[in-house]
Amino acid sequence: MDILGALKLAPSPPALAGAAPPATPARSSVHFHLANAGAAALVAASLLVADPSLAFIGGGPYGKQVTRGQDLTGKDFSGQTLVKQDFKTSILRQANFKGANLLGASFFDADLTSSADLSEADLRGADFSLANLSKANLTNANLEGALVTGNTSFKGANITGADFTDVPLRDDQREYLCKIADGLNSTTGNATKETLFCS
């Protein structure tokens, strides 16, 4: 139901027959309409506070779930096509993205700790700026061209077979990942250590 459309705004009061026109009719009418507009704005604002999903409509063209700024702990997204899906600032602990198509998805400042499963996921061009991937499973994930800046953390992550081709890592991130890098990506055939330029 369109609540705003159903909101009845009172009309301007009619002029009395034979009565002298008010001294400032235009000003009075403007004040009256502004008061009605203010009431409508308050109703709209209260709806957004009452139902956060109306304020946050996440999701890309292939996924219409509300996924931005949400607690999605333990949710199962495995095998789904979620191209350009917006998971910004979401809590994704233990979420399952195994084999999902997350091309260009945003995980900006997202919490992917506690064994979030991104194994075999297509993460090309995904945004992991400020994301926490501590203890996440990135086995055989393809992160080619993914954005990793700020304080993105990979502490304790499983990166066996992950492809980091063209991922702009800081020196300390690269040094840490090279210590735990192993395996070949099952899709691209690239060795994880080679994609990280490990010495």
Side-chain angles (χ1 to χ4, degrees):
M1 175 180 173
D2 185 357
I3 296 176
L4 292 180
L7 182 65
K8 303 291 186 188
L9 299 180
S12 298
L16 297 174
T24 56
R27 183 176 175 188
S28 174
S29 177
V30 167
H31 282 134
F32 190 80
H33 289 295
L34 284 176
N36 278 338
L42 283 174
V43 170
S46 68
L47 287 174
L48 295 181
V49 170
D51 186 354
S53 68
L54 293 175
F56 271 122
I57 303 298
Y62 301 103
K64 301 305 179 187
Q65 304 101 319
V66 177
T67 56
R68 180 178 179 177
Q70 304 294 311
D71 185 348
L72 300 168
T73 300
K75 296 292 184 186
D76 186 2
F77 297 99
S78 59
Q80 293 187 31
T81 298
L82 299 164
V83 173
K84 296 184 179 177
Q85 191 78 23
D86 188 352
F87 292 98
K88 287 177 189 157
T89 68
S90 288
I91 299 170
L92 298 159
R93 296 176 195 145
Q94 300 174 345
N96 184 1
F97 292 98
K98 183 173 183 174
N101 182 352
L102 293 155
L103 188 72
S106 177
F107 292 95
F108 180 90
D109 200 21
D111 181 352
L112 290 147
T113 58
S114 303
S115 303
D117 190 353
L118 294 157
S119 62
E120 301 174 19
D122 186 348
L123 297 163
R124 289 175 295 162
D127 184 0
F128 288 101
S129 302
L130 302 176
N132 190 346
L133 291 146
S134 298
K135 298 185 179 177
N137 182 1
L138 291 163
T139 304
N140 282 315
N142 185 356
L143 294 106
E144 183 180 347
L147 183 60
V148 176
T149 59
N151 293 321
T152 304
S153 175
F154 292 97
K155 187 175 181 180
N158 182 347
I159 62 165
T160 302
D163 190 331
F164 286 89
T165 300
D166 296 328
V167 175
L169 295 161
R170 291 190 322 238
D171 289 343
D172 60 318
Q173 290 170 321
R174 187 181 312 281
E175 183 179 343
Y176 172 77
L177 291 172
C178 282
K179 289 177 183 176
I180 60 172
D182 191 26
L184 299 173
N185 186 276
S186 58
T187 302
T188 66
N190 294 329
T192 301
K193 286 191 174 184
E194 289 181 8
T195 64
L196 288 166
F197 295 103
C198 300
S199 53

